[in-house]
Amino acid sequence: MNPVCNPYAPGAGAQPPELSGRDALLHKATVALQRIASSRSARSLILTGLRGVGKTVLLNRIRQDADALQLITVRIEAQEGRSLPSLLAPGLKSALIKLTHGKKVSDLASRSMRALATFVSAMKLKYHDIEMSFDIEPESTTPIISDLDENLIQLFQSVGAAAFDQKTAIILFIDELQLLNEKELASLIMALHIAAQDLLPITLVAAGLPQIAAKMGKAKTYAERLFEFPDIGKLDPESAMQALIVPAEKLNVRYTKTALKEILQQTKGYAYFLQEWGKHAWDLASKSPINERNAKDATIHALADLDASFFRVRFEQLTPMQKHYLRAMAELGDDSVSSGEIAAILGKKVTDLGMVREQLIQKGLVYSPAHGETAFTVPLFAAFMKRNV
Ligand SMILES: Nc1ncnc2c1ncn2[C@@H]1O[C@H](COP(=O)(O)OP(=O)(O)OP(=O)(O)O)[C@@H](O)[C@H]1O
Ligand SMILES: [Mg+2]
C-alpha cells in the first residue's frame, strides 16, 4: 500500500501512531506530579526497561502532560562523558525564565536565577564542560565551594522555593539516566531527597536501562523511597494488537487474524519491533486486509533491516572477546543466565570473565538482573547473534 501514508513510526523516540498499553502508568505519573506540585508527598517515576520498549516515548508523553498541567519541565538527555551540571544548567535556566515570564516576579523567583548563576560559577571551577553565562552576578555573599553535593542542595532549595511561591513545580526529565556517573547520580538524589523532605515542588522523572535501579540503590539507599521503578516491558498481547490495528483502522485498513498472530509471535510484543513489522507489512500489502503472507514477508524484511542497523550498530562496538561472551550467552537463549553457565560454554573460569562482563554492562549491552546473573538489554539479541555469528 502507499508508503507515503504508512502510519507506523519505527525509530528511537519516534512518537508512535498509537501509544498502546501505557494508560495506567501515565495516570500514575500525572497523579504523582500533581501531588508534588501541591506540596504533597509522592514517589516520582524512574522508568526502566530494555532497549526499544518505549521509555523515551513514555517520558516525552509524561512531560507533555506535565506541560499541559502548567508545570515547568526541563528536558535533559544524559550523555557519556558530560557532567551533570553541564546537562542541568541550560535547561534549568530556561525553566527559571519560564517561571518568571510575564508574572510579577517575586523576590524568590529572581533569587533562584541568582542561585543558578552561583551554582554555575562554582561548578565551572570543577567541570570544564559548562559553557554558560548570566546577565546577573552570582551571590557574592556565599563563598564559592566547588562541591557538587552542597551546591546542588542549595540550588534545588532555592529553585524549589521559587516554584512553590509561583504555585507550580519544576520537573526534571532525564533520559538515558544510566549514563550519569554514580557520584553525580548520588548528588542528584540527595539534593532531591532534601527538597522532598521540605515538600518543595521539584522532582525528577527519568528513564534508562534496567541497571539503573541497582546503580541508584548503590548511589543512595533512600532512592527506593523517593522513586518508583516501574519496569517498562513488552506490550501485553491485547495492547500489542491495538498498536498495530488502531493506526491502520484510521486509514480504513484491516489485518487478518493470522497476520496479527504472525506479527505478535515474531515481535513478542516489543514496541519497537511492532512498529518495524507494521511498517513493512503495510508497504508489502497490495490492499486491505493485510494478510498472513504479507506478515511473513514483513518478518523477512524487518529482520534484515534490524540485522543491518538496530542490532548491527550495537554489535560493531564490541571487541572480539566481548563478541565471544555474547555469542556464548546467545547459546543459552534470551533469558537471564548465570555467569557459571556462560563460563562453562567458553571453557573459562567465572573470575576470568568478570572484566568482559563489566565492560559489556558499561556499554549497555547486558545488565545484571540478580547477583551472578546476566541478561541482554536488547530484546531478541540472542537470535541475532545466532543468525549472524
Ligand atoms: N506504547 C507503545 N505502543 C506502540 N509503539 C510504541 C510504544 N512505545 C514506543 N513505541 C515505539 O517503539 C519504538 C521505540 O520507542 P522508544 O525510543 O521510546 O524506546 P526506548 O525504550 O526509549 O529505547 P532505547 O532504550 O533504545 O532508548 C518507537 O518506534 C516508538 O514509536
Ligand atoms: Mg530511549
Side-chain angles (χ1 to χ4, degrees), residues 44 46 72 87 151 175 183 201 208 232 255 275 286 373 378:
S44 185
I46 310 285
I72 296 190
L87 292 164
N151 276 285
D175 201 1
K183 228 170 139 255
I232 312 303
Y255 281 85
Q275 298 298 328
S286 52
E373 294 275 309
V378 183

Side-chain angles (χ1 to χ4, degrees), residues 3 48 68 89 97 112 134 215 227 231 252 286 319 366:
T48 68
I97 292 170
S112 66
F134 287 83
K215 204 170 175 183
F227 301 105
D231 175 30
N252 295 320
S286 52
T319 66
V366 303

Side-chain angles (χ1 to χ4, degrees), residues 12-13 51-52 54-57 175-176 207:
R51 286 285 171 209
K55 301 177 296 294
T56 299
V57 158
D175 201 1
E176 302 287 350

Side-chain angles (χ1 to χ4, degrees), residues 110-131:
S110 52
R111 274 209 333 249
S112 66
M113 189 62 93
R114 198 172 284 272
L116 181 61
T118 310
F119 175 78
V120 167
S121 77
M123 291 297 98
K124 273 184 175 168
L125 302 175
K126 185 166 178 175
Y127 302 95
H128 303 293
D129 58 347
I130 309 175
E131 286 163 21

Side-chain angles (χ1 to χ4, degrees), residues 1-2 245 248-249 251-256 281-282 284-291 294:
M1 284 176 296
N2 187 353
I245 293 172
E249 237 169 26
L251 299 167
N252 295 320
V253 170
R254 289 188 310 106
Y255 281 85
T256 64
W282 176 285
L284 289 161
S286 52
K287 59 179 189 340
S288 175
I290 296 171
N291 61 30
N294 306 140

Side-chain angles (χ1 to χ4, degrees), residues 9-22 49-58 175-176 209 235 239 243 271-275 310 314:
Q15 193 66 43
E18 169 74 9
L19 185 65
S20 195
R22 307 295 190 207
L50 304 182
R51 286 285 171 209
V53 290
K55 301 177 296 294
T56 299
V57 158
L58 204 51
D175 201 1
E176 302 287 350
L209 293 178
L235 299 174
S239 307
Y272 170 61
F273 298 145
L274 285 166
Q275 298 298 328
F310 185 73
R314 290 170 169 84

Side-chain angles (χ1 to χ4, degrees), residues 81-344:
R82 283 280 304 272
S83 73
L84 176 64
S86 83
L87 292 164
L88 194 61
L92 209 50
K93 185 177 176 189
S94 314
L96 292 179
I97 292 170
K98 246 190 262 167
L99 188 70
T100 53
H101 184 73
K103 296 190 188 98
K104 204 174 132 276
V105 178
S106 71
D107 203 24
L108 280 171
S110 52
R111 274 209 333 249
S112 66
M113 189 62 93
R114 198 172 284 272
L116 181 61
T118 310
F119 175 78
V120 167
S121 77
M123 291 297 98
K124 273 184 175 168
L125 302 175
K126 185 166 178 175
Y127 302 95
H128 303 293
D129 58 347
I130 309 175
E131 286 163 21
M132 265 184 90
S133 55
F134 287 83
D135 305 335
I136 47 168
E137 288 294 308
E139 290 152 336
S140 52
T141 46
T142 1
I144 293 192
I145 41 164
S146 62
D147 174 52
L148 178 61
D149 276 357
E150 198 45 47
N151 276 285
L152 211 51
I153 292 169
Q154 297 290 345
L155 177 66
F156 284 2
Q157 291 289 314
S158 179
V159 170
F164 177 77
D165 187 55
Q166 301 285 333
K167 300 190 173 52
T168 183
I170 302 236
I171 323 285
L172 309 173
F173 286 85
I174 307 187
D175 201 1
E176 302 287 350
L177 190 67
Q178 79 282 349
L179 294 178
L180 282 188
N181 84 38
E182 229 161 86
K183 228 170 139 255
E184 293 173 17
L185 191 58
S187 302
L188 177 66
I189 298 166
M190 180 163 74
L192 288 169
H193 182 60
I194 290 175
Q197 284 166 22
D198 295 340
L199 292 175
L200 290 175
I202 176 165
T203 193
L204 165 74
V205 183
L209 293 178
Q211 56 259 43
I212 289 183
K215 204 170 175 183
M216 285 182 86
K218 222 157 104 193
K220 285 290 165 210
T221 49
Y222 48 68
E224 293 274 342
R225 274 172 282 153
L226 209 51
F227 301 105
E228 270 187 63
F229 294 86
D231 175 30
I232 312 303
K234 48 190 174 185
L235 299 174
D236 62 75
E238 187 51 38
S239 307
M241 263 193 292
Q242 291 304 313
L244 292 166
I245 293 172
V246 175
E249 237 169 26
K250 286 182 186 155
L251 299 167
N252 295 320
V253 170
R254 289 188 310 106
Y255 281 85
T256 64
K257 270 198 185 126
T258 47
L260 288 170
K261 193 168 163 224
E262 159 74 7
I263 299 181
L264 256 60
Q265 198 178 346
Q266 293 292 337
T267 58
K268 306 220 159 49
Y270 282 107
Y272 170 61
F273 298 145
L274 285 166
Q275 298 298 328
E276 277 287 357
W277 260 255
K279 182 193 127 202
H280 284 290
W282 176 285
D283 285 352
L284 289 161
S286 52
K287 59 179 189 340
S288 175
I290 296 171
N291 61 30
E292 188 180 8
R293 182 74 262 140
N294 306 140
K296 289 213 153 114
D297 290 344
T299 298
I300 297 168
H301 283 77
L303 286 177
D305 263 12
L306 291 171
D307 285 1
S309 57
F310 185 73
F311 294 128
R312 177 68 53 188
V313 291
R314 290 170 169 84
F315 181 73
E316 278 177 353
Q317 317 158 5
L318 304 172
T319 66
M321 189 54 219
Q322 291 166 352
K323 287 178 186 169
H324 281 312
Y325 190 92
L326 294 185
R327 185 64 186 80
M329 264 180 81
E331 218 32 62
L332 299 162
D334 252 325
D335 294 332
S336 157
V337 294
S338 81
S339 300
E341 287 173 286
I342 302 168

